[in-house]
Amino acid sequence: DGSWKASRNGKRYLANIIYSGDYIVADTDSDEALLPGYDDSFWGPAVSVEAPSAILAGQYMPTIGVDRKISPVSVQNYGDTVYVMDFGVNMSGYVSLKLSGKPGTKVHVRHGELLDENGRLDVSHMSEHFRAVADQEFQTDTYELGDSETVFKPLFCYHGFRYAELVSPEPFSVDIPSVKGEFI
């Protein structure tokens, strides 16, 4: 119930929408949360919800998992606010990567299968698969940077893509060797 507080292993999930993506805020919270005297004042209350169905049953399918990790075959950067990565193969999965920059900087990781004539991600054809909703972009994970370099990857969604475009209104850094396309 609402008397419980909620956080998640050093990252706060602001949203998770299977077709849009995850929105994660980095912070300095980690295993320190297990220690006595930990300040959990920034944690929010747990939210009580109704069961999605009158009958709850366990999943009978095996879980999906990472089959292999693929490094990008090329990385193009367009200044210090846009990077486009080509993984060389179309896949279902997600991108894991280390990001750093000014705390509060929002980095959007957009996923798609085509590039435009300028080498940027082209998602114009995706409207046939997704109806736009305010503040939700199809196949886009958003990460809000904290005080230190952080490894980001979504935990509750996956995407279909060959290319990933990292975009931010503010400068940020990406540790290129850390970038992996996690093929599921």
Side-chain angles (χ1 to χ4, degrees), residues 97-129:
L97 67 170
K98 286 183 189 175
L99 297 171
S100 60
K102 186 176 104 184
T105 299
K106 293 177 185 173
V107 178
H108 307 282
V109 182
R110 303 171 63 223
H111 302 78
E113 300 166 346
L114 300 172
L115 297 179
D116 66 17
E117 63 278 355
N118 298 315
R120 298 284 305 273
L121 194 67
D122 179 0
V123 294
S124 61
H125 68 290
M126 289 193 180
S127 62
E128 63 193 61
H129 304 290

Side-chain angles (χ1 to χ4, degrees), residues 50-162:
E50 295 296 320
S53 170
I55 300 173
L56 297 179
Q59 176 61 264
Y60 292 107
M61 287 180 55
T63 59
I64 59 174
V66 176
D67 180 63
R68 61 188 175 274
K69 295 181 180 183
I70 302 169
S71 296
V73 296
S74 71
V75 177
Q76 291 291 119
N77 71 314
Y78 298 86
D80 53 5
T81 60
V82 177
Y83 294 81
V84 177
M85 300 173 182
D86 179 358
F87 290 92
V89 62
N90 208 24
M91 70 175 99
S92 293
Y94 51 83
V95 176
S96 64
L97 67 170
K98 286 183 189 175
L99 297 171
S100 60
K102 186 176 104 184
T105 299
K106 293 177 185 173
V107 178
H108 307 282
V109 182
R110 303 171 63 223
H111 302 78
E113 300 166 346
L114 300 172
L115 297 179
D116 66 17
E117 63 278 355
N118 298 315
R120 298 284 305 273
L121 194 67
D122 179 0
V123 294
S124 61
H125 68 290
M126 289 193 180
S127 62
E128 63 193 61
H129 304 290
F130 178 75
R131 288 197 180 101
V133 178
D135 299 327
Q136 294 179 18
E137 190 174 347
F138 189 54
Q139 297 206 132
T140 300
D141 299 312
T142 300
Y143 304 126
E144 194 169 319
L145 304 182
D147 292 331
S148 60
E149 184 176 66
T150 304
V151 176
F152 288 100
K153 67 179 178 180
L155 296 178
F156 299 108
C157 68
Y158 61 91
H159 311 288
F161 69 101
R162 173 179 172 169

Side-chain angles (χ1 to χ4, degrees), residues 18-36:
I18 191 162
Y19 297 114
S20 296
D22 287 4
Y23 188 135
I24 303 171
V25 177
D27 53 43
T28 56
D29 179 26
S30 63
D31 292 338
E32 296 171 12
L34 303 175
L35 301 175

Side-chain angles (χ1 to χ4, degrees), residues 157-171:
C157 68
Y158 61 91
H159 311 288
F161 69 101
R162 173 179 172 169
Y163 305 98
E165 182 176 80
L166 285 59
V167 180
S168 177
E170 307 254 351

